[in-house]
Amino acid sequence: MLEELRIRGIGVIDDAVLPLGPGLTAVTGETGAGKTMVVTGLLLLFGGRADSARVRTGAEQASVDGRLEISDPVVAARVRDAGGDMDDDTGLVLRRVVSAAGRSRAYVGGAPAPVAVLGELAERLLTVHGQSDQLRLTRRSEQIAALDRFGDIDAAPYAEAYTRWRGASGRLAERTARAGELRREADLLSHGLAEIEAADPQPAEDAELTALATRLAHADALRLAAHAGHDTLVGDTDDLGGDVADVASLLAAAHRALGQQAGADPELDELTRRLDELAALVTELGADLGAYTDRLDADPARLAEIEARRAVLGGLVRKYGDGRGDVESVLAWAGQARDRLGDLDVSDEAIALLTEERDAAAAGAARLARELTSARASAAAKLADAVTTELAGLAMADAALYIEVRPRPTGGSAHPLPAAGGGAGGEVGAGPDGCDDVEFLLQPHPQSPALPLGRGASGGELSRVMLALEVCLAGSDPVPTMVFDEVDAGVGGRAAVEVGRRLAQLARNRQVIVVTHLPQVAAYADRQIVVDKPSDTAHNSVTASDVRIVTDDDRIAELARMLAGSDTAAARKHATELLATAADHRGAPARARKPRKGSKTAR
């Protein structure tokens, strides 16, 4: 619930604070005084589009601050996710700033936040109804949404089934329509896979073959180098009479010299031990060089075999590699090709499986569509009777609302769904919201035909139909604050009294704010806020408006102005009587009429 709203620099409002509260609050004032700026401020505060044209002339920026008391844990959690803080767990401060240059900033719980967060909070905190909502009420999609809301109908399971069906249908259609193209692609992939599988490349095989080919190409030089190293370390076993000392012989001579002083000095003994380790390493290294020499094989045939294998692998890399130039890229392509081949199966068996998947998904969507239609037909009858009853209390005693639930024809964006019932050939047009065309029809008088709202209803009648709907839907709407912006346009007399009475009824268990020009509506408010221009406005270069709460005698004077255009004794008497009548009526049940025996629903 909104507790306070502060508006600065918006339109004709320089700086105004609106103390709000539970129940019904009426915002009144002369035409042009700036009543709608209150709604503009609310829309900005809850994420509406920032328009620099709304910034007051001469001001650098416009701002709206709101203090709310909330009990919704989802809202509190979203505020904390956005980095904001709650006051005493239930208090929340929101702020929106728009500069004259058009830049916009938002703050949630004291922390900067994206404007979209304000919009998310608005979905659970506030609904605004204006005269444009009357036009939206004529749209079929809005009528379906209102009917589902009244009947507490969850269309989500059907929407999920619809998505599955359309996905399966799309896959089947693509597979059959592109069968030739897909077969050609599958042939190319199969050829590539066959070539790779025939070569059977192994991970890192190309690197290993490169190293082996290099060794074989230099086998003679490598053998000579290893043999020389071996002879230098441990001597030439084929030349026992050679006079060139090798490293092993020299180390043995050193060991004999040091061994003569063994035990005389521990330090020299340690050095002798290290000499022995070195001699062992030389002997081991010499043996390894000898073994290496023996393993070297300058076999031209083996080298030719390796080069041929490298040529095969190189050809695969050039065809199927991804630019890295190694066997791993070829193996990766093969894995992707196998996966793609699984998706490209255009065999009769694959088509049959896709057809079965589509038909199963269609059957599931059709079953849920029938359930949705049945629930809507039942809710339509109840909602039509409830709204008709409310219209009787809104000075439309002879009017009746009918709600038709018809099968949606196929064509356009409506896809033919088999076995959904009711349509020609057992098919009906299906969309994400179901297979139904829902239409609200208004019959103003028993002698007149029932016509769609967009064709047969005047602005005043639309206002009353929308208000009647809101009264009927109030129990299913969890939003704690509702704002009505001059939805009573075109309404007067006894109907205006009943509009005020219905708004007061809505405000029994929620906060309702109404911008109105009707004294009959304002009289039903728990508090009345007046937006007017100060008397010295003519001397100022920029028009400004004041915002104030009126009570007692001031409220009677304001109602008298609204009734007669001036504060006269007769107008004051009428205003006093109007307030007394509203006080007597407030909280009393609205006048009802006997429900009809049936409503226009069709299937």
Side-chain angles (χ1 to χ4, degrees):
M1 181 186 70
L2 272 166
E3 292 187 330
E4 185 178 271
L5 187 71
R6 183 174 187 180
I7 301 174
R8 285 179 284 189
I10 294 183
V12 296
I13 298 180
D14 181 24
D15 190 346
V17 176
L18 284 72
L20 303 170
L24 177 61
T25 298
V27 180
T28 63
E30 294 184 2
T31 301
K35 298 188 300 296
T36 58
M37 291 301 102
V38 175
V39 177
T40 299
L42 280 169
L43 292 174
L44 271 178
L45 184 63
F46 286 95
R49 185 176 67 88
D51 185 357
S52 59
R54 295 290 190 184
V55 179
R56 179 174 167 77
T57 303
E60 295 182 357
Q61 65 180 30
S63 65
V64 186
D65 298 83
R67 191 174 72 244
L68 301 91
E69 186 73 15
I70 65 172
S71 57
D72 189 342
V74 175
V75 172
R78 186 66 186 95
V79 169
R80 295 187 179 98
D81 288 343
D85 294 321
M86 304 289 296
D87 294 338
D88 298 327
D89 295 328
T90 58
L92 173 62
V93 175
L94 302 178
R95 178 174 171 80
R96 180 81 180 277
V97 179
V98 180
S99 71
R103 292 186 296 273
S104 172
R105 300 189 304 277
Y107 301 87
V108 175
V115 173
V117 176
L118 295 178
E120 292 176 27
L121 297 178
E123 293 179 0
R124 302 187 68 88
L125 294 176
L126 180 88
T127 57
V128 178
H129 299 279
Q131 295 185 45
S132 59
D133 292 272
Q134 300 169 13
L135 298 178
R136 285 206 297 270
L137 185 60
T138 64
R139 300 174 189 166
R140 304 289 177 86
S141 59
E142 293 292 330
Q143 294 176 0
I144 289 178
L147 181 59
D148 287 354
R149 181 175 146 203
F150 174 80
D152 194 21
I153 298 171
D154 183 10
Y158 163 80
E160 295 172 0
Y162 172 85
T163 300
R164 287 193 298 271
W165 167 55
R166 295 310 307 156
S169 298
R171 289 189 293 273
L172 176 61
E174 180 188 21
R175 192 71 60 90
T176 53
R178 298 178 56 213
E181 177 186 345
L182 295 177
R183 284 194 183 95
R184 288 190 293 274
E185 183 182 354
D187 289 342
L188 290 174
L189 292 175
S190 298
H191 175 77
L193 282 173
E195 187 177 2
I196 293 171
E197 290 170 358
D200 192 23
Q202 301 300 312
E205 182 184 1
D206 50 348
E208 295 173 2
L209 290 177
T210 298
L212 184 55
T214 302
R215 175 187 291 184
L216 290 174
H218 298 81
D220 291 338
L222 292 172
R223 184 183 294 107
L224 289 174
H227 186 73
H230 171 272
D231 291 351
T232 301
L233 290 174
V234 297
D236 186 355
T237 54
D238 296 331
D239 186 13
L240 299 177
D243 56 357
V244 177
D246 55 76
V247 174
S249 299
L250 295 173
L251 289 174
H255 175 76
R256 288 192 297 272
L258 295 176
Q260 293 176 2
Q261 301 301 323
D265 185 356
E267 184 177 353
L268 184 60
D269 291 343
E270 174 60 23
L271 293 174
T272 302
R273 186 189 63 77
R274 291 170 59 188
L275 179 65
D276 293 341
E277 290 177 354
L278 181 57
L281 288 173
V282 167
T283 302
E284 182 180 352
L285 180 55
D288 290 342
L289 285 171
Y292 174 79
T293 303
D294 295 337
R295 288 197 306 272
L296 281 175
D297 182 11
D299 184 357
R302 175 59 177 157
L303 179 58
E305 179 185 336
I306 290 175
E307 291 297 348
R309 177 63 176 172
R310 291 181 65 199
V312 170
L313 296 180
L316 294 178
V317 169
R318 285 190 298 273
K319 286 184 180 180
Y320 309 109
D322 59 1
R324 289 181 296 172
D326 56 21
V327 169
E328 276 67 20
S329 62
V330 176
L331 297 174
W333 182 91
Q336 295 168 1
R338 292 188 188 95
D339 293 340
R340 178 60 177 160
L341 273 176
D343 295 334
L344 293 179
D345 189 357
V346 289
S347 64
D348 292 341
E349 293 79 6
I351 297 297
L353 284 175
L354 284 177
T355 303
E356 182 180 344
E357 178 186 356
R358 182 206 58 188
D359 292 346
R367 176 180 58 79
L368 291 172
R370 287 192 296 271
E371 294 176 2
L372 197 58
T373 296
S374 176
R376 283 172 175 166
S378 176
K382 296 175 183 177
L383 179 58
D385 282 342
V387 172
T388 297
T389 298
E390 287 297 326
L391 289 177
L394 291 169
M396 294 179 66
D398 296 327
L401 183 79
Y402 297 96
I403 300 177
E404 291 188 351
V405 181
R406 300 186 299 268
R408 182 175 296 170
T410 59
S413 60
H415 303 281
L417 179 63
E427 291 184 344
V428 69
D433 59 353
C435 299
D436 311 307
D437 269 346
V438 174
E439 187 169 40
F440 287 15
L441 307 171
L442 181 66
Q443 185 181 32
H445 306 284
Q447 295 77 23
S448 61
L451 296 176
L453 289 181
R455 291 172 47 198
S458 66
E461 288 170 339
L462 275 177
S463 297
R464 282 176 275 183
V465 170
M466 188 180 73
L467 182 58
L469 271 173
E470 287 299 335
V471 172
C472 297
L473 296 174
S476 59
D477 193 344
V479 175
T481 299
M482 302 178 71
V483 180
F484 293 88
D485 182 16
E486 298 197 10
V487 295
D488 48 16
V491 177
R494 184 166 61 85
V497 173
E498 293 299 332
V499 168
R501 191 170 180 178
R502 261 49 180 195
L503 289 173
Q505 180 179 334
L506 274 178
R508 289 177 183 173
N509 52 10
R510 73 191 66 229
Q511 182 182 43
V512 177
I513 302 170
V514 57
V515 178
T516 182
H517 65 282
L518 295 178
Q520 297 95 326
V521 173
Y524 277 87
D526 296 289
R527 69 193 57 78
Q528 184 172 349
I529 296 175
V530 177
V531 181
D532 60 11
K533 298 175 183 178
S535 57
D536 61 347
T537 296
H539 302 292
N540 296 332
S541 58
V542 180
T543 302
S545 290
D546 286 338
V547 179
R548 55 192 174 87
I549 289 184
V550 292
T551 58
D552 302 329
D553 193 62
D554 289 338
R555 187 175 184 187
I556 292 175
E558 172 62 15
L559 289 174
R561 180 201 63 76
M562 296 174 71
L563 285 164
S566 59
D567 186 5
T568 65
R572 277 179 169 263
K573 180 179 179 182
H574 189 182
T576 302
E577 293 173 352
L578 194 60
L579 282 172
T581 300
D584 290 340
H585 287 175
R586 191 181 300 146
R591 183 166 61 89
R593 100 181 195 184
K594 188 176 181 180
R596 295 165 296 171
K597 293 183 179 179
S599 60
K600 272 191 181 177
T601 59
R603 190 69 199 159

